[in-house]
Amino acid sequence: ALAALAGLALLGGAPAPLKAQGFNDSPPPLAVSETMLAYVVSGDSRVDSVAQAGLRGLQQALLRRTAVEAAGVVGLDVERDELAFYPLLYWPVTASQPGLSEGARARIDAYMRHGGVILFDTRDGGAGGPESEALRRVLAGVAVPPLAPVDGDHVLTKAFYLMNDFPGRRTAGPLWVEAGEGGRNDGVSAVVIGGGDWAAAWASDETGMALYPVVPGGERQRELAFRFGVNLMMYALTGNYKADQVHVPAILERLGQ
């Protein structure tokens, strides 16, 4: 399955900002009664800043365009934090990311098995490179299902907007999902893999001003990136994530809260 990742390509690291980054907030407190957008902390402060700003931009797009009332953005450490509260994880992959511990692999397997969706973004556009190699390292030992490129009939092309391509900061290569549209979680793929650098396309400051340039398609391409983000969130919420919230009391007891 992971052989399919060979088609992902390198665009480079985090983009140069259009203007100064404006988010210095601490992550919002964990709220089991509200939908939160979550990203996986990479350990690279610049990449994590882009991820936070990107999900805040997507949060605002969801509030304006859909009935999804996302309450905030939180960064998660997969080696330590409970993942079950979040329907979607955005995982920006960096070249230096190490492999996962046995505990983290088990946590991620359980998250995917019970309805969670992870967008792994190598940010490399489709040509292969160190981020794609790092993704193989991260996923070693994780129960990743067979993968296939999204085709024109996939739910991601019509979950909210009708679309054929899924660009981010730059145009990307194929978007990979579970073959057969996922067999475990109401037909929702637990894994989505691409190299679009989507968070950089979504990122905005506190006034709503875009932080990073989008090339080659400019603002039309940014709009398509937002549409992909909306489609992905709607797609994630159609699975059995909400049904799994009946387990929240047990999760909180395990966390000692």
Side-chain angles (χ1 to χ4, degrees), residues 9-93:
L10 175 63
L11 281 180
L18 290 176
K19 60 183 294 185
Q21 170 64 263
F23 297 122
N24 299 309
D25 303 0
S26 299
L30 189 64
V32 299
S33 61
E34 298 177 302
T35 298
M36 304 288 287
L37 302 186
Y39 65 94
V40 173
V41 173
S42 70
D44 182 316
S45 60
R46 193 176 184 199
V47 171
D48 294 340
S49 177
V50 173
Q52 182 189 50
L55 289 192
R56 289 197 177 197
L58 180 58
Q59 175 197 9
Q60 293 304 309
L62 289 165
L63 290 172
R64 290 194 306 269
R65 304 181 186 202
T66 77
V68 177
E69 296 184 358
V73 177
V74 62
L76 301 176
D77 180 350
V78 295
E79 294 288 346
R80 180 187 67 205
D81 293 329
E82 179 61 61
L83 308 179
F85 301 112
Y86 309 97
L88 174 69
L89 300 183
Y90 174 73
W91 192 319
V93 180

Side-chain angles (χ1 to χ4, degrees), residues 125-225:
E131 287 82 6
S132 292
E133 289 300 321
L135 179 57
R136 293 185 180 89
R137 184 166 62 246
V138 166
L139 293 179
V142 177
V144 178
L147 302 176
V150 169
D151 61 30
D153 293 326
H154 196 276
V155 177
L156 272 172
T157 67
K158 51 195 172 186
F160 192 84
Y161 292 104
L162 297 177
M163 50 192 318
N164 298 315
D165 300 308
F166 312 98
R169 177 174 68 97
R170 297 182 186 268
T171 54
L175 188 69
W176 299 90
V177 293
E178 289 186 39
E181 296 194 16
R184 296 178 291 184
N185 303 321
D186 301 334
V188 175
S189 175
V191 177
V192 181
I193 298 176
D197 199 4
W198 287 284
W202 301 330
S204 61
D205 65 14
E206 294 166 325
T207 70
M209 180 71 68
L211 288 172
Y212 305 105
V214 173
V215 293
E219 293 310 302
R220 173 59 181 169
Q221 185 173 317
R222 192 187 307 279
E223 170 61 22
L224 291 177

Side-chain angles (χ1 to χ4, degrees), residues 79-113:
E79 294 288 346
R80 180 187 67 205
D81 293 329
E82 179 61 61
L83 308 179
F85 301 112
Y86 309 97
L88 174 69
L89 300 183
Y90 174 73
W91 192 319
V93 180
T94 65
S96 61
Q97 282 186 337
L100 301 174
S101 69
E102 182 178 350
R105 290 195 298 269
R107 187 175 291 111
I108 291 166
D109 282 339
Y111 175 77
M112 295 191 301
R113 191 168 58 249

